[in-house]
Amino acid sequence: MRKWLRSLYARVTLVTVAVAAVATLVAGLVGAQLIRSAAVDQARASLARQAQALSASGSVTNLASLRELAVGEAGRIALVNPDGTVSGAGRKYVSRAAVAKVLSGGSFSQTETVSGTPVVVEARPLSGGGGLVLVEPVSAVNQAAGPLVTRLLWALLIGFACAVAGGALVASWVARPLVHVAGAARRLAGGERGVAVDGGGPAEVEQVAHALGALDASLAASEGRQREFLLSVSHEMRTPLTALRGYAEALADGMIPGEDIPRVGQTLGAEAGRLDHFVSDLLELARLEADDFRVDLQPVDAAAILPAVVEAWRGVAGSAGVVLRIEVPGPLPVVTDARRLRQLLDGLVENALRVVPAGAPVVLAGRREGTAVVLEVRDGGPGLSEDDLAHAFERGALHSRYRGERPVGTGLGLSIAQRLAGRLGGQLVAGRAPEGGACFAVRLPMGG
């Protein structure tokens, strides 16, 4: 029962019932009061017409025969004599104010309480002196209006029942498609993909269904990329592991001549280094995606970091015949983590040196652009196509595309660089360099 009460269907239905009940109660009270007020007004108008007609008949003497006449079922008539005395069945409902009014020659029309009884009073003066008074208790008027009030209450009860039924239908119309959407979401959470999300219902529920369908497609695409990435990483790791196991078994079986042991040792070291590179990149990527990744922000001159990067890679570049160059017009103040920024630039330079042919340049450039500082790593290598630029930062995308065509790393370097740039409060974008190759630009907010 408690679970049902917490459902959207139950809550919408209960709210509709509550609103309908309040509306019915208010309408009933107001309607009954209006009916009774209208009945009193109608009774006053009727008494006024009768009083006017009787007063036109003449004097008190001419109307003496009406002293005991009842007007209506509960109405009463009274005569005010010229001496101020009142006679007739309705004399107990005649106030002194009414007597004084007719004796002065005026008409009296009012609802007042006389002797503890609310009454409708209509009094008219007579030509020979004195006056005629017609009275009717308000209770009799309300009793006459009782059937109208009863009919109103029946109409309100029927309207209340229709409102409750309509609320239940609206609740079902809203809740049923949400139940279907919730079921589809649970199937998605359970790992099922390609789930048909049944919309229907209000436009907002349709929007939720469309969003869930888009989420389904995004999850399928993301999981597909992850599977491809894992397959690629496992393949790349299997290659050095196969070499390590083969040489280890050969050494264990004594099949390696003594003079070849140094060469085998170098091969084993190189393959172990490849595995270590893979593991390091995977750990770095995991750290970047964790919430507790630490960044120490402080004012830094980015222009001072570029020469240190060039100096660190000068030996590798020289042995490959690549020219390293710096283009910095002046100080480039930023607020960032200098160690992490150096790590980012080192990774971009390493990627560039891997593909740049001998004699081509690798340029580290920095400039101010509005309120930002832009640091670029440009190269004269083979460059990237438009499709490459669109997928450059997806894990393993360029690695799987160019493996066997040009030197590639683990496939994680650019993905790590992009996430690191985001952690530093900046943005990493890929483009084409004027040197003919690729350009990777880090945009950081300028410091004070």
Side-chain angles (χ1 to χ4, degrees):
M1 181 65 178
R2 182 178 299 177
K3 183 178 180 180
W4 182 83
L5 290 175
R6 292 175 59 188
S7 67
L8 178 62
Y9 175 82
R11 292 186 179 186
V12 172
T13 302
L14 292 177
V15 168
T16 303
V17 171
V19 172
V22 172
T24 301
L25 179 62
V26 172
L29 294 175
V30 174
Q33 186 62 33
L34 290 176
I35 289 175
R36 289 169 180 169
S37 178
V40 170
D41 292 340
Q42 185 177 3
R44 181 183 292 110
S46 177
L47 290 178
R49 288 193 299 270
Q50 295 180 46
Q52 191 67 30
L54 291 174
S55 65
S57 299
S59 62
V60 173
T61 303
N62 296 333
L63 296 175
S65 60
L66 299 176
R67 288 175 180 174
E68 301 299 330
L69 180 67
V71 179
E73 181 179 349
R76 296 292 183 269
I77 186 171
L79 293 175
V80 178
N81 298 305
D83 60 359
T85 61
V86 182
S87 60
R91 61 182 176 273
K92 64 179 180 179
Y93 297 125
V94 180
S95 64
R96 293 181 180 179
V99 172
K101 189 70 173 178
V102 296
L103 289 179
S104 64
S107 298
F108 186 84
S109 178
Q110 191 170 333
T111 300
E112 59 180 353
T113 300
V114 181
S115 301
T117 303
V119 292
V120 180
V121 181
E122 289 289 338
R124 298 291 185 275
L126 298 175
S127 58
L132 172 71
V133 182
L134 296 180
V135 297
E136 188 166 3
V138 173
S139 59
V141 176
N142 291 337
Q143 184 177 0
L148 290 177
V149 175
T150 301
R151 293 174 184 175
L152 172 65
L153 292 179
W154 275 111
L156 291 175
L157 288 176
I158 293 173
F160 173 75
C162 293
V164 171
L169 290 176
V170 171
S172 176
W173 179 62
V174 172
R176 186 180 295 111
L178 283 177
V179 171
H180 295 160
V181 170
R186 284 191 291 270
R187 291 168 62 188
L188 288 176
E192 187 177 349
R193 297 294 176 259
V195 177
V197 183
D198 183 16
E204 291 78 4
V205 179
E206 287 278 1
Q207 294 176 6
V208 173
H210 292 159
L212 198 60
L215 176 62
D216 183 11
S218 297
L219 286 174
S222 176
E223 290 173 354
R225 287 194 298 268
Q226 289 181 1
R227 282 192 295 271
E228 292 176 1
F229 168 71
L230 289 175
L231 289 173
S232 175
V233 169
S234 63
H235 175 77
E236 291 298 321
M237 294 183 72
R238 188 178 293 113
T239 301
L241 283 174
T242 301
L244 288 173
R245 185 170 59 184
Y247 279 116
E249 291 175 353
L251 285 172
D253 294 338
M255 299 177 61
I256 304 297
E259 63 273 12
D260 289 338
I261 290 179
R263 177 182 58 81
V264 171
Q266 292 177 356
T267 302
L268 292 175
E271 296 302 321
R274 288 181 60 189
L275 283 176
D276 182 65
H277 198 178
F278 267 115
V279 173
S280 298
D281 281 354
L282 288 171
L283 291 176
E284 186 65 29
L285 193 59
R287 282 193 292 266
L288 284 168
E289 293 177 348
D291 293 334
D292 58 352
F293 182 79
R294 181 176 177 179
V295 175
D296 297 320
L297 299 178
Q298 55 185 338
V300 175
D301 182 8
I305 297 179
L306 298 183
V309 175
V310 170
E311 189 62 30
W313 291 96
R314 190 180 301 279
V316 177
S319 61
V322 176
V323 179
L324 280 178
R325 192 168 73 237
I326 298 179
E327 295 179 359
V328 180
L332 301 173
V334 293
V335 176
T336 187
D337 187 323
R339 183 174 64 86
R340 294 295 184 181
L341 180 58
R342 169 67 187 273
Q343 176 187 352
L344 171 58
L345 294 174
D346 282 338
L348 294 175
V349 172
E350 181 182 8
N351 283 341
L353 291 175
R354 187 180 295 116
V355 298
V356 173
V362 172
V363 181
L364 277 75
R367 67 179 186 278
R368 299 188 184 190
E369 192 173 278
T371 59
V373 168
V374 179
L375 303 177
E376 295 178 339
V377 177
R378 309 195 304 260
D379 63 67
L384 301 173
S385 66
E386 288 293 335
D387 189 56
D388 293 338
L389 295 177
H391 303 282
F393 300 108
E394 294 180 8
R395 285 177 287 189
L398 299 182
H399 176 272
S400 60
R401 182 170 301 179
Y402 291 109
R403 184 175 53 197
E405 296 182 16
R406 63 176 72 165
V408 292
T410 63
L412 303 177
L414 290 178
S415 180
I416 292 174
Q418 185 192 42
R419 283 162 175 74
L420 184 53
R423 288 290 191 169
L424 295 176
Q427 183 183 16
L428 178 62
V429 296
R432 291 191 175 89
E435 290 78 13
C439 172
F440 292 93
V442 183
R443 179 182 295 271
L444 297 169
M446 185 181 298

